Amino acid sequence: MSTLIPTSTRPQNWKASAPEPLPNTSTFAAQASLPKLPVPDLPATLTRLKEALKPLAKTEAEYAAALTKIDEFGLGKGKVLQKRLLERDAGRKHWLEEWWDDIAYLGYRESVVVNVSYYYGFDRQPAHLPQTSAARAAGLARATMIFRQKLKQGLIKPDGNKEGPHCMDTYRWMFDCCRIPGSQGLDWSVSYAKEGDLGNSGHITVFRRNRVWKVDATKDGKILSFSDFEKQFQHIYDSTTQEYPGVGVLVANNRDTWAKDYTNLASDPHNTTILQTIHSAAFSISLDSSSPSNPIEHSRDLWHGGVTDSVPSGLRNRWVDKPVQFIVFDNAEAGLMGEHSVMDGTPTARMCDEVLNHLQDPAFDMGESSSDAALAAPTPLDWKISPETNKAIKAADKAAMDLISSQALTFHETTYGKAAIKSFGVSPDSWAQMIIQLAYRRLVGDQRNGATYEAATTRKFYKGRTEAIKVVTSESDAWVRSMDDPGVDKEERKRLFDEAGKKHIQLAKSGGNGMGVDRHLLGLRMLIREGEEMPDVFSDPLVARASYWVLSTSAIFSKHFPVYGWGEVVPDGFGIAYVTGHNDRLQYTITSRTEIANAQFNGEIAKAAVDLYELHSSVKKSKL
């Protein structure tokens, strides 16, 4: 168990604060036998890099210059760096983990809101349960505590696919922990999980009108019943009749600013206690005052919180450093906002899916109610607000409003889905990705200034997370060009599409096997020592363009998620969350800055989806 460190000084071995998972249990039985993330062969990576650069080159001369630098690297400094990387790999369980934690997440200094965090919107409260927001929160609290209990006892079936189980290591960071802002440019996470804990104790923190409440989630070694949780939440609703200081908005600010404000806030011992209660909570639930009524509102109210009278009311009522934070709105709509640094979206998606499946089942155990006299009321935790903190809240309010107002979000559903796509013999993921490629080409023409990122999971390896699938290929570009070339007939367009799809599947499999490009190049670059000259390949403009993600894409599926998404990762780019798991529709959520042609791109997505369907339909009919 860890203790709060108010000075924001990161412990050297912060990951040791989370207890190792229970061995020899169903959940973690495969951990010891999972293979290590491989170090790819250098020549193979450089060959893949050359292939990825070709469609992104603006001229033959630019491509030739990049190839020269790659070859020089492969014959020279690259061999030295590869030897160092192999030595590093031999001395640890995962050669990438520490670098990836810091470079991808914990060293990022802008707000995690929009830029890093993600959201899942949930379907409506099942009809057999009360349709109030208190009941909505109660169901989520009880079902999640039960999931947490089973996880701690090792009773959750491990993730995996037909190839075998996936690493479950990041599940250690799902509950009882929190991200901490670092004063020296690097954040970390602190865990209050106890070794040997079987999930029979714990509390949650609840936010309502910016006020923090502590709710004991267990009593006498048992998780509270649905009815008991419902009483607790109703007490919070009834007792919170005014707005409290919006301390939560500080957490949504620039990370260096938040580190400074955090130190000021924690300088009072009373506030330190509240911080420790938040950090050690199993998870948090924000009872937001907005009532989203359509997919756009639902998305935005989860993604960055609602706005009331030009005040970021949603972000004031949250603690965005918690990896699991449920949001329940006043109309009983709900969802999750996830902090991304300690785990990717698949574990939390799986957790939410199981929680919502439980609540959908009328036979789910809702527990036995306690008498009112036996049930302790929730504890309100009110901050001591210094003049410095009050000033910081005002500044964070402004920063949050500037961020929120800078963002555009659109949503599109097609009129067909997985069933139709599979009837054409096509991978739904490849189909969805090619729609994006065609739409983007029509939007920007030849002015493409970066590449497309799709996440491939590497969790078949111990402590694996993700690799980048480089979706833009010579094959995808050839098909995209053909779709608006009147000189190319439909049979040839279909043939080109098939080639593009095959290439995409090949790259996705390679990425999942740890044989991508980006993570390996990162590892090599990290091993350049002080005083050594940076190899030219790392400053090449074409190589840089191949990892400038103008399109950041990923897919996840739950029948319970009518909306989900995240923000763009570069100023002139789009974040594209898509869903291919429904039989009757594909779903796209598109985010960008407001100055980017978001609505126009959404329209091109819609048109490309129709054109791709019509191409396959017409070719199929012509063969009958």
Side-chain angles (χ1 to χ4, degrees):
M1 177 175 172
S2 300
T3 56
L4 185 70
I5 304 175
T7 58
S8 291
T9 301
R10 182 163 99 161
Q12 188 170 4
N13 191 19
W14 61 269
K15 273 202 160 178
S17 69
E20 288 295 322
L22 291 172
N24 305 317
T25 60
S26 174
T27 306
F28 304 107
Q31 290 299 106
S33 61
L34 290 171
K36 291 172 65 174
L37 182 73
V39 175
D41 292 335
L42 181 60
T45 293
L46 297 183
T47 297
R48 284 190 284 267
L49 175 61
K50 291 176 181 179
E51 191 176 45
L53 296 181
K54 191 170 185 179
L56 296 171
K58 295 183 178 179
T59 65
E60 287 295 331
E62 183 183 52
Y63 185 52
L67 294 186
T68 298
K69 294 171 188 174
I70 293 169
D71 288 338
E72 290 174 350
F73 179 71
L75 294 172
K77 190 66 173 181
K79 290 184 176 180
V80 176
L81 298 176
Q82 179 75 355
K83 183 174 182 291
R84 292 176 187 172
L85 187 55
L86 290 170
E87 290 170 351
R88 176 184 172 89
D89 177 58
R92 57 186 66 213
K93 294 181 178 180
H94 195 288
W95 62 264
L96 180 61
E97 180 185 20
E98 183 181 342
W99 289 334
W100 190 247
D101 285 341
D102 288 349
I103 293 170
Y105 296 108
L106 298 174
Y108 185 76
R109 305 324 288 160
E110 294 303 318
S111 170
V112 297
V113 176
V114 167
N115 299 300
V116 182
S117 298
Y118 59 92
Y119 67 87
Y120 301 136
F122 300 159
D123 50 10
R124 291 289 301 178
Q125 175 89 320
H128 67 275
L129 296 175
Q131 298 298 301
T132 66
S133 49
R136 179 68 147 161
L140 293 173
R142 176 165 172 80
T144 304
M145 285 296 292
I146 288 175
F147 182 92
R148 172 178 173 267
Q149 183 181 63
K150 289 181 177 178
L151 176 65
K152 286 179 179 290
Q153 295 177 11
L155 300 177
I156 299 294
K157 182 180 178 182
D159 296 336
N161 55 26
K162 60 184 179 182
E163 295 181 12
H166 284 173
C167 182
M168 300 292 285
D169 179 73
T170 58
Y171 277 77
R172 293 186 300 143
W173 296 97
M174 185 174 285
F175 301 114
D176 317 312
C177 59
C178 193
R179 181 169 174 162
I180 307 292
S183 59
Q184 297 175 324
L186 286 173
D187 294 352
W188 79 97
S189 282
V190 62
S191 173
Y192 286 79
K194 303 171 187 175
E195 195 153 358
D197 178 21
L198 298 179
N200 300 320
S201 62
H203 69 276
I204 63 175
T205 46
V206 180
F207 297 82
R208 176 62 175 173
R209 293 187 170 178
N210 317 331
R211 195 181 200 187
V212 187
W213 293 78
K214 179 183 177 182
V215 175
D216 289 324
T218 62
K219 184 177 182 296
D220 299 329
K222 293 183 179 180
I223 295 169
L224 293 191
S225 69
F226 173 87
S227 176
D228 287 349
F229 271 123
E230 188 178 19
K231 292 173 186 175
Q232 301 290 67
F233 287 112
Q234 193 59 55
H235 175 89
I236 291 171
Y237 277 111
D238 294 342
S239 303
T240 317
T241 58
Q242 66 186 58
E243 297 294 316
Y244 287 75
V247 173
V249 76
L250 300 177
V251 195
N253 211 344
N254 171 279
R255 301 306 295 179
D256 290 332
T257 304
W258 168 218
K260 175 177 65 69
D261 295 338
Y262 172 87
T263 302
N264 288 334
L265 187 68
S267 64
D268 186 296
H270 173 79
N271 290 341
T272 298
T273 302
I274 298 176
L275 286 167
Q276 189 163 351
T277 301
I278 293 171
H279 294 168
S280 60
F283 51 90
S284 67
I285 298 182
S286 290
L287 306 176
D288 275 19
S289 298
S290 57
S291 295
S293 60
N294 58 55
I296 300 293
E297 291 179 359
H298 198 183
S299 295
R300 295 198 72 128
D301 283 0
L302 290 168
W303 185 33
H304 54 59
V307 173
T308 305
D309 298 328
S310 300
V311 172
S313 52
L315 291 178
R316 283 178 153 214
N317 195 52
R318 302 189 190 174
W319 203 267
V320 298
D321 281 353
K322 290 292 284 184
V324 172
Q325 178 166 225
F326 294 105
I327 319 294
V328 175
F329 300 102
D330 276 356
N331 60 352
E333 292 285 4
L336 175 135
M337 186 182 198
E339 201 287 302
H340 207 335
S341 66
V342 283
M343 75 182 88
D344 299 308
T346 45
T348 48
R350 189 264 177 91
M351 179 271 293
C352 291
D353 213 31
E354 293 208 10
V355 163
L356 296 168
N357 280 342
H358 284 322
L359 295 174
Q360 202 173 57
D361 181 2
F364 176 61
D365 180 11
M366 290 296 185
E368 296 182 9
S369 301
S370 305
S371 66
D372 290 346
L375 189 64
T379 305
L381 306 172
D382 294 330
W383 305 96
K384 290 187 178 179
I385 306 296
S386 68
E388 292 85 355
T389 294
N390 192 50
K391 182 179 178 181
I393 291 172
K394 292 179 181 178
D397 277 345
K398 183 182 184 306
M401 286 305 302
D402 288 345
L403 179 63
I404 292 168
S405 61
S406 74
Q407 297 299 307
L409 183 149
T410 56
F411 180 82
H412 177 70
E413 290 182 339
T414 65
T415 57
Y416 63 88
K418 177 179 68 175
I421 296 168
K422 285 194 167 184
S423 75
F424 295 129
V426 178
S427 154
D429 188 67
S430 293
W431 179 288
Q433 283 287 345
M434 291 307 119
I435 286 174
I436 294 168
Q437 292 303 306
L438 179 56
Y440 192 63
R441 169 74 181 218
R442 287 171 170 173
L443 181 73
V444 302
D446 294 327
Q447 303 306 307
R448 181 172 57 197
N449 195 41
T452 301
Y453 176 97
E454 180 184 1
T457 183
T458 55
R459 285 178 58 209
K460 67 188 291 184
F461 302 105
Y462 179 68
K463 291 200 174 188
R465 290 191 61 172
T466 60
E467 176 59 90
I469 303 171
K470 289 184 175 295
V471 179
V472 176
T473 62
S474 296
E475 291 84 353
S476 68
D477 270 8
W479 170 71
V480 165
R481 284 192 298 269
S482 78
M483 288 297 288
D484 293 321
D485 184 347
V488 181
D489 62 29
K490 62 185 179 182
E491 284 76 16
E492 177 64 5
R493 289 174 179 171
K494 173 67 164 57
R495 186 190 71 79
L496 291 171
F497 176 86
D498 290 343
E499 291 298 313
K502 287 177 185 175
K503 186 64 178 180
H504 177 256
I505 291 172
Q506 175 195 328
L507 292 174
K509 287 181 178 178
S510 294
N513 287 326
M515 296 295 153
V517 173
D518 289 73
R519 308 299 188 256
H520 189 193
L521 288 183
L522 171 63
L524 297 173
R525 184 169 184 165
M526 291 298 295
L527 290 169
I528 299 170
R529 294 170 181 164
E530 188 175 351
E532 291 183 340
E533 187 175 349
M534 181 71 69
D536 290 341
V537 68
F538 292 117
S539 59
D540 182 81
L542 179 53
V543 173
R545 194 180 308 137
S547 295
Y548 184 77
W549 307 119
V550 291
L551 300 178
S552 173
T553 77
S554 192
I556 209 160
F557 177 69
S558 167
K559 65 181 181 180
H560 298 295
F561 297 172
V563 297
Y564 98 100
W566 64 87
E568 72 284 352
V569 300
V570 297
D572 55 343
F574 294 95
I576 308 169
Y578 62 96
V579 176
T580 62
H582 298 292
N583 280 325
D584 62 344
R585 66 192 185 278
L586 300 176
Q587 177 181 310
Y588 290 90
T589 301
I590 305 167
T591 59
S592 71
R593 296 192 179 184
T594 52
E595 64 268 24
I596 308 301
N598 191 299
Q600 187 179 347
F601 187 38
N602 186 295
E604 294 293 0
I605 289 276
K607 183 177 186 302
V610 171
D611 290 349
L612 187 50
Y613 182 86
E614 290 182 348
L615 170 65
H616 282 74
S617 293
S618 62
V619 171
K620 188 175 183 179
K621 287 178 182 177
S622 68
K623 292 181 178 180
L624 295 178

